[in-house]
Amino acid sequence: GVESVLNWSASPAPPKFSYFAPFTNQSTASISGTVEPGATVKLTLNGSDQQTLGDKNGVFNFSLTLNDGENTLSAVAVDPAGNVSKKTNDYTITLDTKNPSLSISSPSDGSSFFGSNQILVTIQGTTDPGCQIDINSRLVSVSDTGNFEYSATMNSGTNTYAIKSTDQAGNTSEKNITLNFTP
């Protein structure tokens, strides 16, 4: 049948990117993937093109310089005969180098608490939506608006809470509060 006829002018398959993080705090990103062996990968980043050749196993690598904010990339494969593949999907990498906001609304640093009815403290604050909050190495959930709260039972004396916010790109902000409890 017709299916057995090889079509030498067939376009190559589009390049396949290996996983890369959609958020980063590094201005240089390393992007790799696979393509038909011997094909050229033409990558478009923010509208400008660069190209590299897949190795004998079809593996390719790019080192990209990112702009602040959202960066858009896509690629096509070009085989030695000049046939061009379909374009990959558009992917975005967001370069974010700003530390997240972090504020503790209550209690205030250095507060003192007395008696068994004040042994439970609730730390409340806000950070940027999408961040992770960690208080003394415990993960605390953050609302869609960036609010969080954490309740802890204090020990007698000085209680220190290390509050850390980490955004999707890995930037962090930290605050410590020390509370005093007298049973």
Side-chain angles (χ1 to χ4, degrees):
V2 182
E3 296 82 59
S4 65
V5 175
L6 287 174
N7 179 356
W8 291 108
S9 67
S11 299
K16 283 194 173 64
F17 290 116
S18 303
Y19 173 80
F20 57 85
F23 291 88
T24 182
N25 56 12
Q26 305 294 314
S27 59
T28 310
S30 183
I31 303 287
S32 62
T34 53
V35 69
E36 212 171 86
T40 298
V41 179
K42 192 167 136 198
L43 182 126
T44 305
L45 174 69
N46 299 329
S48 47
D49 292 342
Q50 46 186 298
Q51 55 184 42
T52 191
L53 204 57
D55 71 11
K56 64 182 187 327
N57 302 315
V59 176
F60 66 87
N61 288 290
F62 284 99
S63 181
L64 307 177
T65 302
L66 304 175
N67 299 331
D68 263 330
E70 204 168 86
N71 294 268
T72 307
L73 61 110
S74 63
V76 293
V78 184
D79 70 15
N83 300 306
V84 180
S85 74
K86 288 196 177 80
K87 188 169 83 69
T88 62
N89 292 336
D90 283 336
Y91 296 93
T92 59
I93 302 180
T94 300
L95 173 60
D96 174 3
T97 56
K98 290 185 191 65
N99 291 340
S101 67
L102 176 60
S103 66
I104 309 305
S105 46
S106 82
S108 51
D109 187 25
S111 298
S112 293
F113 298 87
F114 303 91
S116 58
N117 61 346
Q118 290 190 347
I119 194 167
L120 191 68
V121 65
T122 300
I123 297 168
Q124 295 178 306
T126 54
T127 187
D128 298 336
C131 288
Q132 276 193 331
I133 288 283
D134 160 313
I135 299 180
N136 289 0
S137 301
R138 287 217 174 89
L139 218 52
V140 177
S141 67
V142 177
S143 77
D144 295 346
T145 52
N147 296 314
F148 62 89
E149 69 174 50
Y150 172 76
S151 296
T153 303
M154 288 186 282
N155 297 316
S156 180
T158 303
N159 295 264
T160 302
Y161 298 95
I163 299 133
K164 183 174 165 185
S165 177
T166 307
D167 68 16
Q168 292 167 295
N171 302 301
T172 60
S173 294
E174 283 190 62
K175 285 195 181 337
N176 288 320
I177 60 170
T178 301
L179 307 175
N180 298 299
F181 178 67
T182 307

